[in-house]
Amino acid sequence: DAGVIQSPRHEVTEMGQEVTLRCKPISGHNSLFWYRQTMMRGLELLIYFNNNVPIDDSGMPEDRFSAKMPNASFSTLKIQPSEPRDSAVYFCASRTTRRGEQFFGPGTRLTVL
Amino acid sequence: DQQVKQNSPSLSVQEGRISILNCDYTNSMFDYFLWYKKYPAEGPTFLISISSIKDKNEDGRFTVFLNKSAKHLSLHIVPSQPGDSAVYFCAASGGEKLTFGTGTRLTIIP
């Protein structure tokens, strides 16, 4: 079975550019989570969806960040405009049950110059 | 405000010995706890979990202990193997969300 798929795996961009990260959750999973990993703060939850509906976006750092889930098999995290402090690894995870374990994708390493 | 803390950024253990990773939390509403393991360039993978109604859960070489009064949990790996070298994240949940610690890098010395 395919796990959570993220693309691209690496992204290097210049400050001010728009960045779009993509995620395909595991088929049948109805919850999707976006995380950011940094050395200082570890894994931070940015936003999560249940059944394609955003439930909690309190972790989204600024209005420059937005996330969508147009259907059960696809989600995007967009940063516009990007800044150097957005450089981090961004993970997507999905889950089938309300309290079950989350399955993580391989992550996207974002570098903003 | 870190609600889940892993105060040891790194830990080195001899192969075959016991590895003990620690985690503290502050939110008394947390009732479900998990450990994840992460290799470089990969996403975290689930290792073991424990509900607050228990104080111990065991799975092979891995055991998680929960001390609710101290708001402390620990992961024991016995015996430690070279493949256990990774970053370990503690996570806690009081509902649908997981709150993660900053991780502990475990290095197993052959």
Side-chain angles (χ1 to χ4, degrees), chain B:
Chain B
D1 178 30
Q2 283 281 104
Q3 297 187 67
V4 178
K5 298 178 183 178
Q6 294 177 255
N7 293 317
S8 298
S10 63
L11 175 68
S12 294
V13 174
Q14 205 79 29
E15 181 179 357
R17 307 291 282 268
I18 183 171
S19 295
I20 300 176
L21 296 95
N22 294 303
C23 178
D24 297 295
Y25 61 96
T26 57
N27 190 337
S28 58
M29 299 301 291
F30 289 148
D31 62 357
Y32 185 60
F33 305 89
L34 306 88
W35 284 94
Y36 278 79
K37 177 178 179 179
K38 185 184 179 304
Y39 292 120
E42 295 183 11
T45 55
F46 170 75
L47 197 54
I48 192 169
S49 64
I50 188 167
S51 165
S52 61
I53 62 173
K54 295 185 176 181
D55 54 19
K56 176 182 174 181
N57 188 27
E58 199 170 348
D59 183 1
R61 297 186 297 113
F62 302 92
T63 303
V64 56
F65 295 91
L66 176 62
N67 182 333
K68 289 185 290 294
S69 61
K71 293 189 175 67
H72 177 83
L73 64 156
S74 61
L75 174 68
H76 292 210
I77 306 173
V78 182
S80 300
Q81 298 174 353
D84 297 330
S85 294
V87 176
Y88 289 79
F89 289 97
C90 166
S93 171
E96 292 189 314
K97 301 193 296 186
L98 290 181
T99 302
F100 283 85
T102 51
T104 296
R105 181 177 300 278
L106 175 65
T107 302
I108 305 303
I109 304 165

Side-chain angles (χ1 to χ4, degrees), chain A residues 4 9 18 21 32 42 50 66 76 97-98 101 106-107 111 113:
Chain A
V4 175
R9 292 295 310 274
E18 177 180 298
L21 311 182
L32 184 141
N50 281 349
S66 63
T76 59
T97 60
R98 183 177 177 272
E101 64 177 278
T111 303
L113 303 174

Side-chain angles (χ1 to χ4, degrees), chain A residues 35-100:
Chain A
Y35 291 89
R36 178 170 67 177
Q37 183 190 8
T38 61
M39 289 296 292
M40 290 299 296
R41 301 178 67 88
L43 277 163
E44 297 177 275
L45 178 64
L46 301 177
I47 185 171
Y48 80 95
F49 298 80
N50 281 349
N51 298 313
N52 314 337
V53 176
I55 302 301
D56 186 341
D57 66 355
S58 59
M60 297 285 260
E62 300 173 33
D63 290 347
R64 299 183 295 106
F65 286 70
S66 63
K68 294 182 179 179
M69 191 164 186
N71 57 61
S73 59
F74 183 66
S75 177
T76 59
L77 178 68
K78 186 176 292 187
I79 308 172
Q80 165 65 15
S82 58
E83 296 183 2
R85 59 194 167 122
D86 301 331
S87 297
V89 181
Y90 291 80
F91 289 101
C92 175
S94 68
R95 182 180 69 194
T96 180
T97 60
R98 183 177 177 272
R99 298 299 299 274

